[in-house]
Amino acid sequence: MRNSTRSKVDPFIVMDVMEAARRAEEGGRRIIHMEVGQPGTGAPKGAVDALTRSLQQDSLGYTVALGLPELRQRIARLYGEWYNVDLSPDRVVVTPGSSGGFLLAFTSLFDTGDRVGIGAPGYPSYRQILSALDLVPVDIQTAPENRLQPVPADFANLDLAGLMVASPANPTGTMLDHKAMGALIDATQAQNAAFISDEIYHGIEYEAKAVTALELTDECYVINSFSKYFSMTGWRVGWMVVPEDHVRVIERIAQNMFICAPHASQVAALAAMECEEELQGNLDVYKTNRALMLEGLPKAGFTKIAPPDGAFYIYADVTDLTNDSRAFAAEILEKAGVAVTPGLDFDAVRGAGTLRFSYARATEDIEEGLVRLAAFMAARD
Ligand SMILES: Cc1ncc(COP(=O)(O)O)c(C=O)c1O
């Protein structure tokens, strides 16, 4: 049977690492997972309890396409609590994860062949989803002196219909402050391009609070999720905030593409938003892990790292150690039993010289992983 040309998207290289790690575990080895981009914790207890109660009482049929009204209201209230932004619940759309939000956003904003700028390094699925929609992902090679975030000069002549940013970013964990985010918004709007802000790692920040694009403009799409801070990756629920006059456009697409985000997950998500104490407990673990990594990685020999402002990743420049991050990650897995992600997933040009380390797992795993990495690097000298 035939296939479309736009369906030829690249696989996630990290999946190969995960498969190799699985095989090693099958063979009886204990692998430390620093490749996975998800919390080791499950959904907060209050979320599970709320869903358990709901299962006894509710048939959990379709919800309306924009999401449960109580959840939309609660999300709008979060913007007051976190950023002091007064947001109308009417502008909040509940989505099947932020991944569902990308599909809705790109479909709503762009036409076939439109060029959309994405930072490199960056989350790989932006590029693949854009391609699958017959849009043109345009990699913006970001500079280390800008902490690997785009700046207006990087895309002045790229003829973009849209710009997608992430803060805190994956794989770097770096953030855009008010000034940097404002400059990107101004430059994008001056080019009559759409501004999309992926804020999925908000809530997981260490020194300063992350800035939402909504503090600076209403003319943007903000995409967020219950996957990371709320620790609910597999529940497939997220949200998007769009300008007032885009809500109906999104509603029509959402009705047809998804009907709704999973009802059960929406019930759990609403309750998760009241589980502050447990979620802050998870954050304390990330804080401890981050400190261990920032001390342990340079000691082991991974010296070129920028301290991450948020998320749970450290992106390391390993050009002094290898020019083939995929082979290097395979060697680390084989010899040290630590799974890490080659940078090629995030940056096709420079990723052969980078690795991403995730510290989302339990602190004991991070400690053990660092001991193993140090021994591996010492044996290499
Ligand atoms: C930057 C970024 N955006 C979006 C996603 C997708 O998340 P979701 O589970 O909400 O679809 C991820 C997942 O790792 C991510 O790192």
Side-chain angles (χ1 to χ4, degrees), residues 119-124 126 142-144 146-150 165-176 201 204 206 290 294 297 304-317 343 346-347 350 354-359:
Y123 178 59
Y126 303 146
T142 59
N146 298 323
R147 306 195 66 231
L148 299 175
Q149 287 280 1
V165 301
S167 167
N170 177 7
T172 59
T174 62
M175 296 198 314
L176 296 163
Y201 290 103
I204 307 178
Y206 304 102
R290 174 179 180 264
L294 287 177
L297 283 180
K304 294 192 199 160
I305 54 176
D309 305 311
F312 31 57
Y313 306 116
I314 291 186
Y315 199 53
D317 177 337
F346 311 104
D347 186 338
R350 295 173 296 180
T354 55
L355 291 179
R356 187 194 72 177
F357 298 87
S358 166
Y359 54 88

Side-chain angles (χ1 to χ4, degrees), residues 33 37 133 145 159 181 185 216 247 351 367:
H33 291 275
L133 293 174
E145 56 273 26
D159 187 24
M181 174 89 83
I185 291 173
L216 299 155
V247 175
E367 284 165 341

Side-chain angles (χ1 to χ4, degrees), residues 199-279:
E199 303 186 354
I200 186 172
Y201 290 103
H202 278 220
I204 307 178
E205 63 256 314
Y206 304 102
E207 310 280 340
K209 182 90 200 83
V211 175
T212 173
L214 294 169
E215 289 172 59
L216 299 155
T217 182
D218 285 327
E219 289 300 303
C220 65
Y221 277 35
V222 162
I223 298 180
N224 207 323
S225 174
F226 287 91
S227 289
K228 309 292 171 158
Y229 174 70
F230 294 98
S231 190
M232 295 174 64
T233 46
W235 297 70
R236 310 313 304 135
V237 59
W239 73 88
M240 194 155 75
V241 181
V242 301
E244 200 94 53
D245 57 342
H246 284 233
V247 175
R248 180 67 184 142
V249 179
I250 296 283
E251 184 176 26
R252 289 192 309 248
I253 305 168
Q255 285 167 342
N256 287 288
M257 270 193 184
F258 308 118
I259 302 186
C260 64
H263 189 158
S265 303
Q266 295 190 56
V267 170
L270 179 61
M273 297 186 81
E274 307 310 327
C275 298
E276 191 61 18
E277 205 178 311
E278 184 175 340
L279 296 171

Side-chain angles (χ1 to χ4, degrees), residues 289-308:
N289 293 355
R290 174 179 180 264
L292 287 169
M293 293 288 272
L294 287 177
E295 198 194 325
L297 283 180
K299 268 197 194 153
F302 299 98
T303 50
K304 294 192 199 160
I305 54 176

